[in-house]
């Protein structure tokens, strides 16, 4: 029979909570019941699990969990709370005879005075615990949590409104969230190697959880940059392979590659299989079904623009390509030929990424990536339109920045069928025509131009914008 547990979440990235919970439950092979009235804006939620160990596993792995309690009661008043808690006596009566215990009382959006904390604790005297009170090393911790409405922006004494809470919760501590401190461990500011496009630690950890990173899994980042996803996925035991069209980002200026130096800082350098420089549309993969997950933050032109091999202006018809157009070779002993590149439009990149994932992923493998969108223009069809046969959306969570946001999209391969490698040979005009024929232009189309024009509706009069630097 399922048991109810009180989850206390960090107040960050609300929309990422449910996808993270479901992903980690899938990783460890158990079910978690999410109620239909789950309010992601509140820090408390009562969820059902089959086993207490499942609650511990979630608390040890989920980045957004602060702690998990065995649920005893929730109410709008203490009278009702105590009535429910008395009914839950079978859950806590075994701790009455001889268990060292500790009571805590805390408020959300409110500071509770020590005097009132004592009063609240004394009201639980009917539980009649006979063990000693141990504030440092208790055997059990009982927690009482008062949730208040947000009062920011008002002028008041810090204890004004004391007792006028929205709801109060009570339960026994099962597990503190031990994964949350990883946010500080992977803080970009403390990293020996990073760049202006490095992903912030908390987000990269959430992305790693969406990949179901674990020992013996192989994960690939086709736009690895400075390697933010390498460190977090490797921390959870996965093997990592990265590539980028610009090898300078991976290497840095020192003799030892920057990503390898940073991974050594975290003790995961042995998990980095290799780092290669190539255009993802001209990739060297000769067989599919290699990877358990693909995770990436594609460049979309705000701080760095996506590029692929090719000329910005097409060669005149009938002109034959030269060796310089197709090959790398040495010009002089100290100079290497760098082939020309052209912009890689975001909507084309996203569609190609899904096709590449279908080819490279194992069955049930996941593609996890960020997609920037214009808030007023976004539709669910934007995500659905980039899907192909054999791929389905698992999660779609928004990190909101106001006029725009970026969506963490998780797509799963649901087929055992073998597909040929994608050709990536659609020309820009063909993509525009396909979108026109479908009658839907996604909100992330021409995102870079929209961003630098302040998301104005009329883009016909836009001026050329210089490409962002990586």
């Amino acid at each position: 029979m399922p048991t109810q547990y009180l989850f206390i979440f960090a107040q960050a990235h609300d929309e990422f909570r449910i996808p993270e919970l479901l992903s980690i439950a899938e990783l460890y092979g158990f079910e978690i019941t999410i109620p239909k009235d789950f309010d992601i804006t509140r820090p408390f939620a009562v969820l059902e699990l089959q086993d207490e160990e499942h609650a511990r596993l979630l608390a040890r792995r989920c980045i957004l969990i602060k702690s998990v309690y065995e649920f005893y009661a929730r109410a709008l008043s203490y009278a009702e709370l105590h009535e429910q808690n008395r009914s839950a006596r079978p859950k806590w009566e075994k701790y009455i005879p001889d268990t060292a215990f500790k009571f805590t009382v805390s408020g959300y959006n409110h500071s509770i005075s020590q005097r009132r904390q004592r009063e609240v604790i004394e009201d639980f005297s009917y539980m009649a615990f006979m063990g000693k009170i141990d504030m440092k090393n208790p055997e059990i911790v009982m927690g009482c949590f008062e949730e208040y409405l947000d009062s920011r922006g008002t002028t008041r004494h810090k204890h004004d409104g004391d007792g006028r809470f929205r709801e109060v919760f009570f339960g026994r501590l099962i597990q503190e969230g031990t994964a949350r401190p990883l946010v500080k461990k992977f803080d970009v500011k403390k990293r020996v190697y990073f760049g202006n496009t490095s992903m912030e630690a908390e987000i990269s950890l959430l992305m790693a959880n969406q990949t179901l990173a674990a020992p013996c899994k192989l994960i690939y980042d086709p736009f690895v940059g400075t390697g933010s996803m390498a460190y977090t996925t490797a921390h959870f035991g996965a093997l990592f392979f990265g590539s980028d069209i610009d090898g300078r980002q991976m290497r840095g200026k020192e003799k030892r590659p920057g990503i390898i130096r940073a991974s050594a800082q975290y003790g995961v350098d042995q998990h980095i299989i290799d780092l290669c420089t190539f255009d993802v549309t001209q990739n060297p993969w000769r067989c599919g079904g290699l990877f358990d997950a693909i995770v990436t933050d594609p460049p979309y032109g705000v701080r760095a623009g996506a590029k692929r091999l090719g000329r910005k202006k097409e060669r005149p018809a009938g002109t034959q390509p030269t060796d310089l157009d197709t090959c790398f070779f040495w010009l002089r002993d100290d100079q290497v030929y760098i082939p020309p590149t052209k912009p890689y439009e975001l909507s084309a990149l996203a569609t190609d990424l899904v096709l590449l994932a279908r080819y490279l992923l194992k069955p049930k493998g996941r593609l996890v990536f960020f997609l920037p969108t214009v808030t007023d223009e976004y539709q669910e069809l934007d995500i659905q339109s980039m899907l192909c046969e054999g791929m389905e959306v698992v999660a779609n969570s928004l990190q909101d920045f106001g006029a725009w946001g970026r969506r963490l999209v998780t797509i799963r391969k649901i087929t055992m069928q073998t597909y040929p490698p994608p050709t990536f040979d659609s020309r820009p005009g063909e993509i525009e025509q396909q979108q026109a024929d479908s009658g839907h232009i996604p909100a992330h189309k021409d995102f870079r131009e929209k961003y630098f024009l302040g998301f104005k509706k009329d883009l016909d009069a836009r001026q050329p914008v210089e490409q962002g630097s990586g």
Side-chain angles (χ1 to χ4, degrees), residues 193 197 221-228 243-244 246 249-251 259:
Y193 180 71
T197 58
D221 186 345
F223 302 95
V224 68
T226 57
S228 294
S243 71
D244 205 294
D246 187 352
Q249 293 191 76
M250 298 183 288
R251 295 190 297 269
I259 291 180

Side-chain angles (χ1 to χ4, degrees), residues 131-151:
K132 68 175 182 178
I133 298 174
D134 190 337
M135 303 302 290
K136 292 185 177 180
N137 298 298
E139 295 176 66
I140 61 168
V141 176
M142 297 293 181
C144 186
F145 304 92
E146 297 179 356
E147 180 188 5
Y148 291 77
L149 295 174
D150 190 354
S151 59

Side-chain angles (χ1 to χ4, degrees), residues 14-81:
D14 300 351
E15 289 200 16
F16 294 67
R17 291 176 185 167
I18 293 179
E20 185 181 41
L21 287 169
L22 294 176
S23 293
I24 301 308
E26 180 179 335
L27 173 64
Y28 290 114
F30 61 83
E31 293 185 357
I32 180 171
T33 303
I34 308 290
K36 293 182 178 180
D37 61 350
F38 186 100
D39 188 346
I40 61 174
T41 65
R42 300 177 67 180
F44 306 103
V46 178
L47 310 177
E48 291 186 349
L49 295 167
Q50 292 289 342
D51 193 280
E52 184 174 304
E53 183 59 24
H54 297 164
R56 297 184 187 277
L57 290 171
L58 289 170
R60 292 168 186 159
R61 181 65 188 258
C62 290
I63 307 304
L64 297 178
I65 291 179
K66 294 179 69 176
S67 55
V68 181
Y69 284 72
E70 183 183 20
F71 174 70
Y72 291 167
R74 65 183 297 179
L76 301 178
S77 66
Y78 271 108
E80 183 183 352
L81 183 84

Side-chain angles (χ1 to χ4, degrees), residues 56-242:
R56 297 184 187 277
L57 290 171
L58 289 170
R60 292 168 186 159
R61 181 65 188 258
C62 290
I63 307 304
L64 297 178
I65 291 179
K66 294 179 69 176
S67 55
V68 181
Y69 284 72
E70 183 183 20
F71 174 70
Y72 291 167
R74 65 183 297 179
L76 301 178
S77 66
Y78 271 108
E80 183 183 352
L81 183 84
H82 291 308
E83 182 180 351
Q84 290 185 27
N85 190 40
R86 286 187 173 93
S87 299
R89 183 183 178 91
K91 293 183 177 181
W92 49 262
E93 63 181 355
K94 59 186 174 183
Y95 303 114
I96 293 177
D98 187 22
T99 303
F101 68 95
K102 171 184 175 181
F103 266 80
T104 64
V105 180
S106 59
Y108 172 73
N109 280 333
H110 186 74
S111 178
I112 303 176
S113 67
Q114 290 188 353
R115 177 188 58 79
R116 187 164 170 277
Q117 289 182 42
R118 288 194 298 269
E119 292 175 354
V120 170
I121 293 172
E122 288 170 358
D123 285 342
F124 285 94
S125 59
Y126 61 86
M127 297 180 76
F129 286 166
M130 300 174 65
K132 68 175 182 178
I133 298 174
D134 190 337
M135 303 302 290
K136 292 185 177 180
N137 298 298
E139 295 176 66
I140 61 168
V141 176
M142 297 293 181
C144 186
F145 304 92
E146 297 179 356
E147 180 188 5
Y148 291 77
L149 295 174
D150 190 354
S151 59
R152 286 177 294 184
T154 62
T155 302
R156 62 183 183 85
H157 187 274
K158 67 178 181 178
H159 296 308
D160 284 353
D162 209 8
R164 295 197 290 272
F165 45 78
R166 177 182 184 178
E167 198 168 10
V168 59
F169 302 82
F170 183 65
R172 175 181 65 88
L173 178 65
I174 298 294
Q175 178 77 51
E176 296 284 0
T178 55
R180 185 127 189 96
L182 292 175
V183 175
K184 291 185 177 180
K185 175 179 179 178
F186 289 99
D187 186 354
V188 176
K189 296 178 182 178
K190 301 175 183 178
R191 193 173 298 165
V192 298
Y193 180 71
F194 61 90
N196 64 340
T197 58
S198 295
M199 178 68 70
E200 58 267 34
E202 188 170 19
I203 292 294
S204 63
L205 287 161
L206 289 170
M207 293 177 73
N209 274 345
Q210 286 301 103
T211 68
L212 311 184
C216 300
K217 291 194 174 184
L218 181 58
I219 296 178
Y220 172 45
D221 186 345
F223 302 95
V224 68
T226 57
S228 294
M229 296 313 308
Y231 318 127
T232 52
T233 53
H235 170 81
F236 293 124
L239 300 175
F240 181 87
F241 184 95

Side-chain angles (χ1 to χ4, degrees), residues 344 346-356 369 385-388 424 431 434-435 444:
Y344 199 177
L346 181 61
S347 62
L349 184 156
T351 301
D352 288 347
L353 186 60
V354 177
L355 289 170
L356 179 68
F369 68 102
S385 62
M386 70 175 66
L387 292 180
C388 57
F424 308 110
I431 296 173
Q434 292 171 4
Q435 293 172 346
H444 52 275

Side-chain angles (χ1 to χ4, degrees), residues 13 15-16 373 375 397-407:
H13 308 298
E15 289 200 16
F16 294 67
T373 61
T375 301
S397 307
L398 174 65
Q399 186 180 14
D400 192 357
F401 298 125
W404 72 285
R406 58 181 183 178
R407 292 184 172 272

